[in-house]
Amino acid sequence: MPQPCTVIIFGASGDLTFRKLIPALYNLAADGDLPAATNIVGFARRPKTDDSWRGELKETTTKSSRSGLNEEIWGSFAPRIFYHQSEFGNAAGYQSLAKRLDELDAQSGTRGNRLFYLSVSPTDYEGILTQLAAAGLSGTKGGAWTRVIVEKPFGTDLSTAHALNEVVARVFREKDTFRIDHYLGKETAQNIMVLRFGNGIFEPLWNSHYIDHVQITAAEPLGVEQRGPYYESSGALRDMVQNHLLQLLCLTAMEPPTDLRADSVRDEKVKVIRSLRQMTIEEVGTHVVRGQYAAGAIAGKEVKAYREEDRVSPTSMTETYVAVKVNVDNWRWANVPFYIRVGKRLAKGGTEIAIQFKNAPNVLFNKAAEPLGPNVLVIRIQPDEGISLRMQCKMPGNAIRIEPVKMDFHYGTSFGKASPEAYERLLLDAMSGDATLFARRDEVEGAWKFVDVIEEAWHQSENPPPLCTYPSGSWGPKESDDLLERDGRTWRRM
Amino acid sequence: MALDTAKLGEPVEIGQIGREIKRLWEATGSAKTRASLINFAIYCEAGEAAERNTELINEFTRTHACRALLIIAEPDAAETRTRAWINAHCHLGRAGEKPVCCEQISFVVEGRARNLIPNILFSNLDSDLPLVLWWQGEFPDPIDEHLWAWVDRLVFDSHLWRNPTAQLTLLLDSLAHTQSRLAMCDLNWTRSLHLRQALAQMFDHPENQPILECLEHVAISHSPEFRSTALLLVGWFAAQLKLELQSCEGSQLLLAAPSGKPVTFALTAEAGRSISRCEVRSDKAAVEVVRDGSGDFFRVEVRLPQGRTYHHLLPAGNNETTSLLAEELALGGRHRVYIKALGIAKALL
C-alpha cells in the first residue's frame, strides 16, 4: 500500500479524467488498494464547484468503471474529490492551490505527498511546470515526496521530446518523473516478463535459433472519431509506434534484467532501443508501408474515408496505418525481423504480440505438398487479455492428417477476479514510486530517433514513398502484405 | 418465406460481438468447456435456411469443435441493414462429463449490405484457426475477391447451381485472379466419393486392370436431379484414364483413350439415389457397382473371362448433407483430382 497523497489532475475537465483516471482511482478505492486518506484535486479552467464536478464524475464513473458504481463506496470516495478552478498560466491560481493542498494535508494526514498528473496538451507542460515551481509545489518538505506523471504524446520528434524533457528536468528529478504509457499497465504486458523469465520452457527458445519472426499488431475498427485535428498532426506512427508498439517490442526482445528494480528493467529496454537498426531515408520505402483508410464497411455499416472525416483535410497525407519491418541488431535477434503494424478502421480490434517459431524440419510429416504451419505463441494485450499457443495435431482417424489446434488461456475466465485497468496499476505504481512500467527519458528519446527518419522520408524527402489506401474494414493495404511476402511470410490471422 | 430468427439465439450489437461472446462464456463459468478447431462459416440466401442451418450447425458441432458463423443474406429486402445474434451449442463429451460448447454467431444481411460480408467474416474469426466457408447457393457476379483472402477451404455444392458451368467459370477465374490457394470442396464431388473408392479398389487386382486398358463403355444411372454428379464422375474417369472428349449428344458421350480407342459413356436418368449404378466394361470383362435397396451399401460384381464372377459388398456412405460435409472435412488436401476432373466435366455440366 503506498503512502497517502494528494493527486492533482491538470486537465480535470478532459475526457481522460472522466473516462480513465477517476474510474481507476474509484476502483482502487473499491478494492481497498487506495490509501484511505488520499485526496484528488482537479485543476482546470472551467468554472465548477466541488459538488458539481463530483456529480459529473459520478455519472461518467458509473458508465466507465469496470466494477460499476457502488453508492456506498462512492459516498466515502467522493468527499475526497475537490475542484480547483484556474487558468494554467495564472500564478495566483497556483498560490491558492498550494494553500489548499496544505489544508488538505493537515485535514487528511497526506503529509505533503503530491502526485501531479499532467493530462493536458504538451504545449501546456512548460507553463504548468514553471508555475508549480514558482509556487513551491515541486519541492518536497519533511520527508514528503512530489512526483509528476506526464501523458503522451511526449514530443513530436526527437528535438521536441528533448526540449520537453529539459523542461520537466528543470522542475522534477528523473526519478520523480513518470512518463505514462498505458499499454505497459495492461496485465498481459506485465505478464510478458513473467512468461519469459518465470517459465523454464520459453527462454531457451527465445532467440534466432528457434524464432522465425515476431509480429506486433495494434488494430482497431474505429476511425479517428472526434480526434481529427489531433490525428492530422500526429498520424499512426507518432500516435502508436513511437510509444506503445516500441515498448511492447522492447519487452519482447529485451535480455533478462539483473533484478526487478525500475532502472534494471529500463536499462534492458534501452539496450533494445539502441539495437534497432536505423533506417536510411532510402530504406524507408522498402521497410515501411504507410496507408490511409478509404470508405468501406465496419460492423455491418458503411463508413466514410479518412479524408471525409470531421475536421480532416480532404487532401490529407496523414497515415492511419503503418507497417514496419524492424531489425534488432544484437546477438539474440540476428536475422529475426519484428514486423509491426498499427491501423485504424481495420477488420478487428486487438493488440497482440505473435512469436512465430521456425518450421519443423522438412522431413516426416512436413514432406507433404502442403507444409505444416508454424507454432505461434500469441500474447494478447487487449481486449480479452491472454496467451495462446498454436501447434500441429493429428486429427483422429486412420490417416495421418494434421491440422493446427490452439491452446488458449484467457485472463477473463481463468481467474475469479477481473484484471485491474491499466491506469489503476500505473497510478498505484506512481504513488508507490515504482517507475518500472513508465518510460525513462533515454527510452523515449531513443524511440523518437528511430521513427524520426521515417517521418523525414515521408514528409521532407524529395521522393517520398507513396501513401497507400485500404478499404475500411479490411486488414490494410496490399503493399503491407507485400512487405511480408517479399520475405516469404504472411501476416497472421487475427 | 419470412425469416424466423427465434433459433438464432440472443440478439447482439454487431460492434459488441466479441464482448458478448466473452460474457456468454464467463456466465457459463467452469461448468462447460469451450472448444474450437476451425472457423466454420456458412453463407446462405433463403430465409428458411436460418433454422435449417442452425440445426445443421448444432449437429456438426457434435463432432467438429468450431466457431460457427452463419451469414444469411436477404438481397431483396427493401431496407439495408445488418443484425447479429449469438448462441452456443453444447454437447456432452465422449467421456460424458463436462459439456463441450461451440459458439455460433449469426448475421442477417439485408438489402445492399451484401458487400459488407467480407468485413463481417474477417472481423469475427477465431484467430489462427483455419476458415472453412460453405457458400450455399450461387456466387454473385462479380465475386468480391476479398473473400478469398483468408478462406482455407471453400465448400459448395455444384448440384444446386442452375448453371454449373457459368458458376465454375466465375469461381475459377476469380480464384486465379487472386492467386488464392484455397481448397475447393464440391459436395457434389464428395457425393460420389464412396462410389469412386469402390470402383478404384476393383482395379487394384492386376487381373482386373485389362478392363481399363481395353475400356469400351461406361454406363451410369443417376437420379434425374443428379446429372451433374454423374458428369463429374465422367470427368473423374477422363482425368484418371487420360480420356479426351470427342462428342456429346444428350446422354451419350464419346471420349477417346490416349491410344485413340473410342470409349462411350451412357448416362441414364432413373428414380433413386444420386448415382445408383455404374458399369465399366471392356470387350471381355466388366465391373458393375450397384447401390443396394437400403442405400447403405454398394454391391459390386466383377465379371471376368471364362465366366468367373466375384462379388463384394462395400459401404456406400450417407448422402445426407451433414455427412457429406463431415466426409469433406475429414479428407483435407486440395482435391487435385477434382480440378483435373473439372477439365472435362465443366464443359458438360
Side-chain angles (χ1 to χ4, degrees), chain A residues 70 174 200 205 209 214 228 236-237 282 291 312 403:
Chain A
N70 177 297
E174 180 62 29
L205 308 179
H209 296 299
V214 178
L237 186 71
E282 293 72 34
V312 167
E403 290 284 340

Side-chain angles (χ1 to χ4, degrees), chain A residues 297-302 347-348 369-370 378 384 390 401 403-406 410 412-413 471 473 475 492-494, chain B residues 14-15 26 37 82 112 115-116 119 122-123 125-131 150 152 181 329-332 334 336:
Chain A
I298 294 277
K301 292 192 178 111
E302 288 177 346
K348 198 173 181 180
E370 298 302 319
V378 178
D384 191 20
R390 185 178 115 138
R401 187 179 157 216
E403 290 284 340
V405 295
K406 197 168 70 165
H410 297 256
T413 47
W475 273 107
R492 58 175 282 273
R493 178 178 297 172
M494 274 180 66
Chain B
I14 292 185
E26 282 176 358
L37 292 175
T82 311
R112 292 183 298 103
N115 58 344
L116 313 182
N119 170 258
F122 295 162
S123 58
L125 295 178
D126 200 345
S127 60
D128 290 315
L129 294 179
L131 168 60
W150 282 1
D152 294 285
R181 298 185 70 239
L329 294 183
L331 287 173
R334 290 204 179 274
R336 288 183 172 79

